[in-house]
Amino acid sequence: MLKRIKYVSRFAQLLSAEEIVQLAGNASEKNHRLDVTGILMSSGGMFFQILEGPPKAVEELWAAIERDPRHTDVLLLSSEEGIERRLFPDWGMGAIDLDAQADDRLEPLKAILTAILAQRRSMEELSGVLERAVWREPAGIARS
Ligand SMILES: Cc1cc2nc3c(=O)[nH]c(=O)nc-3n(C[C@H](O)[C@H](O)[C@H](O)COP(=O)(O)O)c2cc1C
């Protein structure tokens, strides 16, 4: 049984197309060794990645990726266990730099990434509102 993780993050600083290619190349090599597959998509200063493989390998990789200073605001979107089949069986780490390609077929993918980013912003804003609302509640609010 396999494990699959999906997350989004923001570039910590501007990364060139070459740097992204290099990052994905190194990732691909290591993933092959670990029997991990997936995709790494980037656009507008944002990453979206899917990692799938043996649970232990995916967890170790995730721990390293989460700490990587090249990106920030890493948000886990989902973590699924007990997966039987891979979504990307042939890709050690297929990298798609959406901003480096002038292909109309990729436009919908960019729109989806932009929508994820917008949703994420509103989630962060709403959780801020929730926090402040709790703070403003009178001291009598029930606590457990
Ligand atoms: C957005 C992003 C995605 C990454 N994806 C992978 C990956 O799929 N596989 C991988 O081995 N490293 C990936 N890395 C790099 C890891 O964070 C880490 O640098 C690497 O696993 C360290 O390997 P080493 O300890 O063998 O040198 C990624 C880094 C970033 C910023």
Side-chain angles (χ1 to χ4, degrees):
M1 286 293 182
L2 304 168
K3 180 164 184 157
R4 181 182 303 129
I5 274 181
K6 298 178 196 168
Y7 74 86
V8 287
S9 64
R10 280 198 302 117
F11 293 12
Q13 71 271 322
L14 206 66
L15 289 173
S16 65
E18 293 75 38
E19 284 171 313
I20 296 175
V21 168
Q22 197 187 357
L23 189 160
N26 293 340
S28 203
E29 257 175 50
K30 188 167 162 189
N31 292 2
H32 271 302
R33 269 189 276 129
L34 296 172
D35 191 28
V36 169
T37 49
I39 55 154
L40 176 65
M41 216 182 266
S42 56
S43 177
M46 191 180 154
F47 286 116
F48 169 75
Q49 190 172 30
I50 299 180
L51 291 162
E52 49 191 12
K56 199 162 177 291
V58 169
E59 279 154 23
E60 281 174 18
L61 204 48
W62 169 239
I65 292 173
E66 224 186 344
R67 287 196 306 265
D68 195 308
R70 286 172 286 185
H71 62 172
T72 181
D73 295 340
V74 183
L75 177 71
L76 185 65
L77 297 174
S78 73
S79 171
E80 302 162 81
E81 310 254 3
I83 304 287
E84 284 185 28
R85 244 181 303 146
R86 294 174 194 252
L87 290 173
F88 305 96
D90 306 325
W91 280 1
M93 189 42 63
I96 313 173
D97 180 356
L98 296 176
D99 298 339
Q101 327 241 354
D103 186 334
D104 286 348
R105 287 171 304 177
L106 295 176
E107 287 304 318
L109 299 185
K110 273 192 213 180
I112 294 169
L113 261 185
T114 308
I116 292 176
L117 190 62
Q119 294 262 358
R120 179 195 177 138
R121 281 212 192 97
S122 61
M123 238 165 63
E124 282 163 1
E125 277 165 22
L126 283 175
S127 64
V129 171
L130 190 63
E131 255 172 60
R132 288 192 294 278
V134 171
W135 273 112
R136 263 191 247 110
E137 280 305 318
I141 193 170
R143 286 185 200 160
S144 57

